[in-house]
Structures are given as structure tokens and as C-alpha cells.
Amino acid sequence: SFSWFVAVNKSFKKVQKEETAAIILAGGTARRLAEKRPLGGKAECIIGGQSLLSIVSGALAPVTGSILVVGGDPPRLSSQEAVPVRHIPDQQPESGPLAAFRDGLRWLWHEHANSLPQLVILSACDLPSIKSSLVSEMVDRFPQDEMCTQWVIPEVGKRLQYLFSVCRPTILHPLDSFFASGGRDFQSFVQYLQKLESTSIYVISDAIWRTIDPHAHAGSDIDTPADLAMYTGDASH
């Protein structure tokens, strides 16, 4: 069992929008959506006239200086995007979200080697209720004075929400080592990081996150036709 590092009375410093980048994971086969799966993958599901990818990128745009979409089809986004949006394919399709996260981090290091962002926001593409205010709250809670902290993860309904979290770009180094050791999943990577340095993971506890996100929007993802129907009002499921 692991004791999470929970900051108490710590000083939090607001990070400027220009000092953050965002990675949206838009790959994956979304097989569980069955016949409701769009040709372009889960990211292209339409809710309220917008694709899931547009909803998530719209929530991230006020908080970040750039957005990188990893996997799926190149996004159809308007030329009036609030921040630059780039797309790269999965380097190892069907290797899971952690491999796609690594692809995104590697791209950031390659493209911004001399001006790495302070923080990187990670988000799944299937969080239709996500709001800019929740992204801001999470980023603002990164303990800037705790240099060992690599990753801040909210606990949503007693479950760590890896796919709505914020990290330092330097997390790529232990992530590469983790993959080299045969690791592949988020939960094992969290444990791997904790063994390296006990304060590497800072969890925003469920009790605190509930005060920020009482309706657990950060944990409301879309996996099945029934999940999708909740947002589209499709009574056939």
C-alpha cells in the first residue's frame, strides 16, 4: 500500500498560461462503443453539436499555451483556435494510453528543447463535462516549492484519474525507464515513481476534489453507448 503525498498548508504559485502545454490522448479503438463509434474514433463523437475533441480542447485552451493531440485522425478544428493545436499519430498503435502519453512528451522535448513548458496537462479526449475552471484548479495546486513532485493527480470518487492530471515534462525520463523495464500501465507507473521518490506523486484527495468538482466531471468519461446516450439524449440505449 502507498501513502500518497498530500500537501498541507503549502504555498501554491500560479503558473502562467504560456508556461504550460497540454496533451490530449485521442487514439484507442473505442471498441466498446460498438456501432456508435464514429469513423474518426471516440474523439469525433458529437455532443451538443461539438466533437468530444473540440469540447476538451475548448476547456484546455484558456489554461494552456499549446495543445498536442496524440492519436486518432488529424482533428478538424477551425482556423480560429485560441491556442496552437498540433496532431501526431500514435507511434505504437494499440499500445495503450501510457505509450501515447510518452509519444506526446517526446514530441514536446523534441520541438521545445530550449523552452520546455513548466507543466504539462494530460487529458483524455472523452471528458465531455470538463471545464476550464477544473483544469485551472488542478494546475494551480501543483506544489511549486516541492521540486521532487513530478505529477499531480486528482482522486475522483476514490479513483486516481490519470487521464486528467498535470505533470512536469521531466517525467519523461522515469517513464522511458519504466517502459524499458517492461512496464505498460498507469497504475504500475505511479507505483514505480513512488519507489523512486516518495513525494513524486501528489494526489488531490477525493475530499478536496469533491469541493472543486462536486459532480465528478473529471471522472465522467465515455466508454459505452449508454455513457454516450447520457450526453446525447439518445433514448434508444
Side-chain angles (χ1 to χ4, degrees):
S1 69
F2 289 88
S3 56
W4 305 115
F5 165 52
V6 179
V8 180
N9 298 328
K10 282 206 167 286
S11 60
F12 296 112
K13 182 175 66 128
K14 205 164 180 64
V15 178
Q16 297 305 307
K17 172 177 170 166
E18 297 72 30
E19 296 174 318
T20 73
I23 295 172
I24 302 176
L25 303 186
T29 54
R31 288 190 190 98
R32 289 166 64 192
L33 280 177
E35 77 282 359
K36 293 290 182 182
R37 179 189 181 277
L39 281 175
K42 192 189 282 189
E44 292 302 315
C45 287
I46 302 297
I47 291 175
Q50 276 190 294
S51 70
L52 274 173
L53 185 58
S54 293
I55 292 168
V56 173
S57 58
L60 290 169
V63 185
T64 187
S66 67
I67 294 173
L68 177 66
V69 180
V70 181
D73 289 352
R76 293 188 293 274
L77 298 166
S78 74
S79 55
Q80 281 81 47
E81 290 306 319
V83 297
V85 179
R86 296 288 299 271
H87 172 265
I88 60 169
D90 277 317
Q91 300 304 307
Q92 300 166 284
E94 303 204 22
S95 293
L98 191 61
F101 179 35
R102 180 171 67 155
D103 289 342
L105 288 169
R106 283 178 164 177
W107 186 90
L108 285 175
W109 274 86
H110 184 264
E111 295 292 314
H112 302 284
N114 299 321
S115 57
L116 273 174
Q118 265 198 50
L119 298 176
V120 179
I121 303 160
L122 172 64
S123 179
C125 69
D126 64 341
L127 297 173
S129 304
I130 218 63
K131 294 176 174 56
S132 300
S133 58
L134 299 181
V135 185
S136 292
E137 287 278 2
M138 181 172 65
V139 170
D140 289 347
R141 277 171 167 69
F142 205 102
Q144 294 293 322
D145 57 348
E146 190 67 58
M147 293 315 294
C148 291
T149 303
Q150 288 279 346
W151 199 4
V152 168
I153 311 171
E155 187 181 34
V156 188
K158 303 294 182 190
R159 187 169 66 94
L160 294 188
Q161 177 56 314
Y162 314 114
L163 295 182
F164 182 69
S165 59
V166 60
C167 65
R168 295 189 195 277
T170 46
I171 203 170
L172 177 61
H173 306 316
L175 183 54
D176 277 338
S177 302
F178 175 70
F179 268 89
S181 73
R184 290 293 178 270
D185 67 283
F186 274 100
Q187 185 176 355
S188 301
F189 179 50
V190 164
Q191 293 169 354
Y192 177 87
L193 276 174
Q194 280 229 297
K195 283 174 182 163
L196 292 177
E197 170 53 62
S198 61
T199 60
S200 59
I201 306 286
Y202 166 51
V203 172
I204 304 174
S205 71
D206 190 44
I208 291 172
W209 190 254
R210 269 201 306 267
T211 66
I212 299 163
D213 181 16
H215 302 295
H217 290 317
S220 303
D221 53 1
I222 289 179
D223 290 322
T224 65
D227 296 338
L228 189 57
M230 278 175 55
Y231 291 94
T232 58
D234 181 356
S236 64
H237 282 277

